[in-house]
């Protein structure tokens, strides 16, 4: 009698899971007592249920796998410890960087919903970079408006998003009636990138793909970055980074704790405003006083990321560089005197595969000898073909930086 | 029969009293001018660059007396290229916003009125957002955003005028029309932000954020010229604005063309405000509070209120910007934060001390 009841409960748990019902409790196949963990006793009951014909052998295999491998515990980039109690089969992804990681891990068959930047790749200016994503449910933008109804209707197990967008309170409020697990990744932070790839490989049972990709990264770019990390402060040029988000506001820069400071450091530069915290506007006088040897400026451009531009269509970036060179307060800095002023698109600062471009060019500007043999376009092309399956030519087209090395 | 000498005594006493009354206001004005000059002089010496006070003043003097003072390229660039135009924009921008606020409060007979009551900030924000998100505007190139902000501000004023004219120009109709326009432009801006890319939305937010970091001598001149043209007219109309404060009927009985005064003043205020915020973004606090602070000190006579509010506004914005760019040097804080930090305590102090003489 007791066995029958248990068997029925297991069956109910399986059915509940199969239907993907939205509830305030995650339903784990085989979990009878509601602790989201399949104990040895519950596994035994499931086996009994299978023998009695109440559940199928496939369902039993799933329950056994959950018993053996779950819960899986990890910490996301926001420092939150997260438990995953069952295999992830439905994913909503709000960031392009993490969508690329899912492609790298061959896990896009589990994606059910994505941001508008993936779903509407061409309309959002990314050409065919995410052409494979047009069939997903469009859940909007993580930084402006998430389509909460579409997200909930997609009924994902997890939603992957940025560190601070959407706001935690918005996510908590809008998803409180669901069992969607929120994972925040800082994939634009070079120091976390490979760990994120490995963690996602672990969560999605794609460890081999993750390892293969990490080897590729180390071979193509990582070894240069490792060499740069061994440089002493004296060997690194002083760098001023101007983060240009338009609106005529200049002299915004990034200090410690900001991913773009990490980019400079990783590429072998010394940020003159590393002492500042986060994203700040600084006094123009202080830039002149600190006399940078290299000036970097990135800007979001309307036709960014410029992936479909012809190679000689550099007017927009050249204009930004010329404006920088024309600022009287900077024209006695070593950077301006030596012509070491470089402009790149904001997209190059994004993580994922953009590291091959952004980090690569930074390395070539900041440590030209060390990165002498590195070819950003070539490596990025290789990445796109080998891990992304994207039919995009970034060797014969695309404008990302000015001037190129 | 009342003796003639009695009238004489009364007239004499009144004249003395009036002269004292005016004298106090003039003294306040002179104090503000002196305070502004002193603060500007101090602000010019403050910054990240290690320039001594002597270096700064020699650099300034060298421009007026070439050959008599030795200066360096560096100090010249810092003082003339970075600090002084920012200081001047703070002063003239603060003056412009405060004048606009004082006039708006006067013609609308509403203590909550400010240059932004008529949807001016919303219209400027929409104009900028249209340029940023859609790339559409009246002027191309680098002036696209600035021109859009300016033109939409003027269009908003004309729309308010049109709506108010339809129902009869009164403070109530103007405020209601202004609120309607404000909501309309806010909604349109929100729509543009909704359809725009995240980075475009960010640029719109950056543009709207009030800042003097975009200053240049060209911008200082443009704002100064517009204020210099509009302010004398507003000052000439200060009697009329005073009369409006007594009510439309009273003003009419005193010979004031109420509608024309209101419309002309509104248009000039819009022009002044547009000229500032198209360069600086939204700096909202000055226009609301500077006239109130001034009114609490010298009363509501617009002949004195307008120039004094202007000086208080200039002083307040200059003080706020100086603190904003030096208190956490080399970081520059948003000026809007500092205007509130500096202005609100002073406002509250006066509010508590002069609670019977507010409006």
């Amino acid at each position: 009698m007791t066995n029958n009841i248990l068997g029925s409960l297991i069956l109910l748990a399986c059915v509940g899971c199969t239907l993907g019902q939205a509830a305030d409790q995650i339903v784990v196949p085989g979990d009878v007592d509601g602790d989201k963990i399949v104990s040895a006793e519950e596994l035994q009951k499931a086996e009994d249920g299978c023998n009695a014909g109440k559940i199928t052998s496939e369902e039993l295999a799933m329950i056994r796998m959950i018993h053996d491998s779950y819960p899986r515990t990890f910490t996301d980039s926001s420092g939150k410890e997260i438990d995953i109690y069952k295999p992830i089969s439905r994913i909503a992804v709000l960031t392009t960087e993490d969508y690329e990681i899912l492609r790298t891990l061959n896990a896009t068959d589990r994606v059910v919903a994505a941001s508008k930047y993936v779903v509407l790749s061409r309309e959002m200016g990314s050409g065919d970079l995410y052409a494979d994503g047009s069939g997903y449910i469009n859940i909007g933008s993580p930084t402006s408006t998430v389509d909460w109804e579409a997200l909930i209707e997609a009924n994902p197990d997890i939603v992957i998003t940025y560190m601070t967008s959407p706001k935690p309170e918005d996510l908590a409020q809008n998803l409180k009636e669901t069992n969607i697990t929120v994972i925040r990744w800082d994939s634009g932070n070079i120091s976390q990138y490979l760990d994120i790839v490995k963690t996602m490989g672990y969560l999605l049972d794609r460890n081999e793909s993750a390892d293969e990709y990490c080897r590729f990264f180390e071979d193509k770019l990582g070894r240069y970055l490792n060499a740069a990390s061994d440089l002493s402060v004296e060997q690194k040029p002083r760098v001023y980074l101007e983060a240009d988000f338009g609106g005529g506001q200049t002299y915004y820069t990034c200090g410690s704790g900001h991913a773009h400071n990490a980019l400079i450091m990783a590429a072998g530069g010394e940020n003159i405003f590393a002492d500042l915290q986060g994203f700040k506007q600084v006094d123009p006088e202080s830039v002149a006083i600190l006399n940078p040897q290299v000036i970097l400026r990135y800007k979001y451009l309307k036709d960014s990321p410029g992936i479909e531009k012809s190679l000689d269509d550099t007017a927009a970036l050249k204009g930004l560089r010329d404006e920088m060179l024309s600022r009287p307060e900077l024209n006695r800095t070593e950077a301006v005197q030596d012509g070491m002023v470089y402009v790149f698109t904001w997209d190059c600062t994004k993580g994922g595969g953009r590291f091959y471009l952004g980090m690569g060019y930074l390395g070539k500007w900041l440590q030209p000898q060390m990165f002498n043999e590195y070819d950003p376009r070539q490596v990025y092309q290789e990445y796109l073909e080998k891990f992304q399956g994207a039919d995009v030519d970034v060797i014969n087209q695309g404008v990302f930086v000015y001037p190129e090395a | 029969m009342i003796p003639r000498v009695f009238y004489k005594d009364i007239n004499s006493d009144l004249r003395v009293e009036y002269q004292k009354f005016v004298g106090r206001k003039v003294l306040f004005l002179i104090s503000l001018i002196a305070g502004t000059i002193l603060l500007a002089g101090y602000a010019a010496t403050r910054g990240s660059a290690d320039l001594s006070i002597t270096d700064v003043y020699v650099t300034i003097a060298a421009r007026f007396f070439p050959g008599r003072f030795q200066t360096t390229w560096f100090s010249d660039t810092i003082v003339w290229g970075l600090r002084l135009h920012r200081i001047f924009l703070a002063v003239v921008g603060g003056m412009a916003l405060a004048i606009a606020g004082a006039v708006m409060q006067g013609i609308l007979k509403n203590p909550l009125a400010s240059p932004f009551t008529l949807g001016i900030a919303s219209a400027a924000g929409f104009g900028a957002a249209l340029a940023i998100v859609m790339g559409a505007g009246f002027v191309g190139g680098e002036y696209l955003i600035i021109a859009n902000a300016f033109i939409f501000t003027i269009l908003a004023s004309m729309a308010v005028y049109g709506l108010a004219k339809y129902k009869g120009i009164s403070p109530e109709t103007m405020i209601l029309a202004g609120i309607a326009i404000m909501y309309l432009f806010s909604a349109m801006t929100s729509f543009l932000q909704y359809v725009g890319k995240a980075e475009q939305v960010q640029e719109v937010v950056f543009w709207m954020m009030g800042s003097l970091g975009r200053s240049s001598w060209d911008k200082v001149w443009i704002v100064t010229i517009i204020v210099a043209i509009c302010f004398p007219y507003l000052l000439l109309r200060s009697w009329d604005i005073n009369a409006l404060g007594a009510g439309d009927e009273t003003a009419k009985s005193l010979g004031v063309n109420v509608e024309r005064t209101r419309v002309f003043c509104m248009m000039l205020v819009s022009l002044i405000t547009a000229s500032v915020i198209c360069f600086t973004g939204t700096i909202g606090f000055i226009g609301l509070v500077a006239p109130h602070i001034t009114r609490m000190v010298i009363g509501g006579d617009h002949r004195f209120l307008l120039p004094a509010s202007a000086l208080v506004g200039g002083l307040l914005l200059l003080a706020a910007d100086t603190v904003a760019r030096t208190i956490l040097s080399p970081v520059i804080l948003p000026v809007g934060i500092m205007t509130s930090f500096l202005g609100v305590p002073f406002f509250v102090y006066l509010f508590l001390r002069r609670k019977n003489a507010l409006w």
Side-chain angles (χ1 to χ4, degrees):
Chain A
M1 179 69 179
T2 315
N3 279 353
N4 280 345
I5 294 169
L6 269 172
S8 303
L9 285 169
I10 291 166
L11 186 61
L12 271 175
C14 291
V15 170
C17 181
T18 309
L19 290 176
Q21 63 186 26
D24 57 358
Q25 186 72 26
I26 293 171
V27 178
V28 178
D31 171 35
V32 179
D33 58 10
D35 66 354
K36 294 182 273 189
I37 294 168
V38 177
S39 65
E41 188 191 24
E42 286 167 330
L43 178 61
Q44 181 60 53
K45 300 298 178 195
E47 286 170 349
D48 294 344
C50 183
N51 291 336
K54 291 193 168 84
I55 59 172
T56 65
S57 55
E58 287 78 19
E59 287 166 340
L60 176 62
M62 168 69 82
I63 292 168
R64 183 174 287 121
M65 199 262 273
I66 293 171
H67 167 72
D68 292 342
S69 313
Y70 289 84
R72 293 181 182 180
T73 303
F74 68 101
T75 304
D76 73 1
S77 299
S78 69
K80 185 179 163 193
E81 197 169 90
I82 296 171
D83 292 312
I84 300 293
Y85 294 98
K86 61 177 182 177
I88 295 165
S89 60
R90 298 174 70 81
I91 302 170
V93 57
L94 276 164
T95 79
T96 52
E97 295 91 327
D98 296 305
Y99 180 69
E100 289 191 15
I101 291 177
L102 294 172
R103 285 206 298 207
T104 296
L105 298 175
N106 291 315
T108 50
D109 56 331
R110 302 190 212 180
V111 176
V112 292
S115 75
K116 66 179 181 181
Y117 300 103
V118 170
V119 180
L120 304 173
S121 178
R122 184 160 283 282
E123 292 87 336
M124 289 293 117
S126 293
D128 289 331
L129 194 55
Y130 306 114
D132 60 324
S134 60
Y136 302 131
I137 296 169
N138 183 351
I139 50 174
S141 161
T143 49
S144 52
T145 314
V146 174
D147 188 337
W148 298 107
E149 291 190 14
L151 175 58
I152 292 168
E153 193 177 17
N155 189 31
D157 297 318
I158 60 169
V159 57
I160 305 171
T161 188
Y162 289 117
M163 279 274 285
T164 53
S165 305
K167 290 177 184 171
E169 56 270 29
D170 290 345
L171 275 165
Q173 172 66 27
N174 288 291
L175 301 184
K176 67 182 176 186
E177 299 295 332
T178 74
N179 52 26
I180 300 169
T181 301
V182 177
I183 299 174
R184 291 184 181 277
W185 287 134
D186 192 7
S187 302
N189 194 325
I190 187 72
S191 64
Q192 295 190 27
Y193 179 51
L194 292 187
D195 286 339
I196 291 169
V197 173
K198 286 176 186 169
T199 305
M200 287 305 296
Y202 163 65
L203 294 177
L204 299 173
D205 292 305
R206 291 284 193 271
N207 289 318
E208 283 183 19
S209 298
D211 290 342
E212 182 193 354
Y213 177 71
C214 289
R215 283 194 297 275
F216 173 84
F217 183 90
E218 290 295 348
D219 180 49
K220 298 297 177 184
L221 180 60
R223 60 194 171 99
Y224 293 100
L225 301 181
N226 290 338
S229 69
D230 292 334
L231 293 170
S232 64
V233 174
E234 292 74 30
Q235 293 172 298
K236 296 179 176 179
R238 296 185 306 278
V239 179
Y240 166 61
L241 171 69
E242 183 151 308
D244 187 346
F245 286 100
Q249 300 269 25
T250 51
Y251 291 103
Y252 272 88
T253 193
C254 306
S256 59
H258 197 288
H260 298 162
N261 177 58
L263 291 182
I264 295 171
M265 288 167 57
E270 188 69 16
N271 183 0
I272 60 172
F273 291 112
D275 291 342
L276 301 182
Q277 282 291 321
F279 182 64
K280 298 277 189 314
Q281 189 175 30
V282 294
D283 190 345
E285 296 175 24
S286 62
V287 180
I289 295 293
L290 293 169
N291 188 20
Q293 293 166 300
V294 179
I295 292 177
L296 306 172
R297 181 185 196 179
Y298 68 74
K299 183 168 182 3
Y300 171 79
L301 296 166
K302 287 185 171 48
D303 48 4
S304 194
I307 207 153
E308 292 188 311
K309 281 187 166 184
S310 65
L311 292 174
D312 57 356
D313 189 4
T314 57
L317 294 182
K318 183 177 182 301
L320 290 168
R321 183 174 187 264
D322 290 345
E323 189 279 328
M324 203 90 198
L325 292 170
S326 71
R327 293 183 193 174
E329 65 272 20
L330 298 182
N331 70 12
R332 295 288 173 96
T333 59
E334 284 184 49
V336 172
Q337 300 253 309
D338 298 341
M340 301 288 277
V341 177
Y342 299 97
V343 182
F344 51 111
T345 65
W346 173 78
D347 288 76
C348 283
T349 68
K350 292 171 75 176
R354 301 296 206 293
F355 283 136
Y356 298 110
L357 282 177
M359 289 300 312
Y361 280 114
L362 284 181
K364 290 182 88 67
W365 295 332
L366 302 180
Q367 298 293 337
Q369 287 184 324
M370 191 175 281
F371 283 74
N372 185 37
E373 292 177 11
Y374 183 82
D375 184 340
R377 286 180 185 268
Q378 185 64 46
V379 177
Y380 188 43
Q381 185 70 52
E382 208 173 326
Y383 160 80
L384 289 175
E385 287 173 3
K386 194 169 181 182
F387 294 97
Q388 298 296 297
D391 186 19
V392 177
D393 179 2
V394 291
I395 292 177
N396 299 303
Q397 65 178 35
V399 174
F400 311 107
V401 302
Y402 184 84
E404 287 209 31
Chain B
M1 188 166 175
I2 302 167
R4 204 174 187 81
V5 66
F6 181 76
Y7 281 121
K8 221 174 194 175
D9 286 349
I10 288 178
N11 279 338
S12 174
D13 289 349
L14 277 175
R15 189 171 291 116
V16 170
E17 193 60 34
Y18 183 73
Q19 280 168 349
K20 275 187 187 171
F21 178 72
V22 171
R24 280 199 296 272
K25 295 174 196 304
V26 171
L27 185 64
F28 182 63
L29 282 170
I30 291 169
S31 305
L32 286 172
I33 292 168
T36 305
I37 292 169
L38 283 175
L39 183 58
Y42 171 74
T45 65
R46 304 293 298 162
S48 300
D50 190 20
L51 293 178
S52 67
I53 295 172
T54 312
D55 289 339
V56 171
Y57 287 110
V58 164
T59 305
I60 294 171
R63 190 63 67 96
F64 296 106
F65 306 103
R68 291 191 59 186
F69 294 95
Q70 289 295 317
T71 181
T72 64
W73 167 86
F74 182 72
S75 60
D76 208 43
T77 301
I78 297 295
V79 174
W80 284 99
L82 292 176
R83 293 184 189 172
L84 286 182
H85 59 72
R86 188 178 175 119
I87 289 168
F88 274 87
L89 189 62
V91 172
V92 77
M95 291 174 83
L97 292 170
I99 291 166
V103 172
M104 290 298 292
Q105 288 167 13
I107 62 171
L108 297 179
K109 294 188 289 182
N110 188 323
L112 294 177
S114 78
F116 306 117
T117 305
L118 299 184
I120 289 172
S122 307
F126 173 74
L130 191 68
I132 292 165
V133 177
M134 309 298 284
F138 298 92
V139 178
E142 60 181 311
Y143 298 108
L144 175 68
I145 297 174
I146 292 171
N148 258 26
F150 185 85
I151 291 168
F152 273 93
T153 304
I154 301 300
L155 286 177
S157 302
M158 292 170 75
V160 169
Y161 168 70
L163 281 170
K165 177 84 177 165
Y166 182 72
K167 291 291 287 179
I169 307 258
S170 69
E172 294 80 12
T173 55
M174 287 177 75
I175 289 171
L176 285 174
I179 289 171
I181 293 297
M182 181 181 73
Y183 278 109
L184 176 67
F185 279 114
S186 296
M188 291 197 293
T189 305
S190 298
F191 176 73
L192 285 175
Q193 289 179 309
Y194 181 78
V195 298
K197 294 183 191 178
E199 298 72 35
Q200 291 169 329
V201 173
Q202 198 154 11
E203 183 165 356
V204 173
V205 172
F206 262 73
W207 186 87
M208 287 185 184
M209 202 158 58
S211 168
L212 294 169
R214 289 168 279 201
S215 70
S216 67
W217 285 112
D218 293 345
K219 292 168 185 171
V220 170
W221 280 117
I222 290 171
V223 179
T224 305
I225 288 168
I226 289 176
V227 171
I229 291 170
C230 297
F231 184 60
Y233 178 82
L234 292 168
L235 205 55
L236 280 174
R237 290 281 163 204
S238 54
W239 270 118
D240 296 352
I241 300 172
N242 284 344
L244 285 175
D248 286 6
E249 293 304 317
T250 310
K252 279 178 188 169
S253 71
L254 289 170
V256 176
N257 187 332
V258 172
E259 287 199 0
R260 200 176 68 182
T261 301
R262 205 163 262 144
V263 168
F264 257 72
C265 288
M266 185 192 82
M267 288 300 173
L268 290 184
V269 161
S270 300
L271 183 64
I272 288 174
T273 310
S275 73
V276 178
I277 63 174
C278 73
F279 296 131
T280 64
T282 306
I283 301 175
F285 182 78
I286 303 285
L288 179 69
V289 167
H292 279 294
I293 291 174
T294 313
R295 199 176 285 112
M296 286 184 224
V297 177
I298 63 164
D301 183 347
H302 285 81
R303 292 174 304 153
F304 298 98
L305 181 65
L306 292 185
S309 291
L311 290 166
V312 169
L315 193 62
L316 193 55
L317 190 54
L318 176 59
D321 187 57
T322 304
V323 176
R325 70 183 174 85
T326 55
I327 192 168
L328 291 176
S329 180
V331 172
I332 297 179
L333 295 174
V335 73
I337 295 174
M338 296 318 301
T339 51
S340 298
F341 275 167
L342 291 178
V344 170
F346 187 53
F347 179 74
V348 169
Y349 166 74
L350 289 173
F351 178 80
L352 294 173
R353 272 198 66 195
R354 305 281 306 271
K355 57 187 173 186
N356 295 325
L358 282 177
W359 181 254

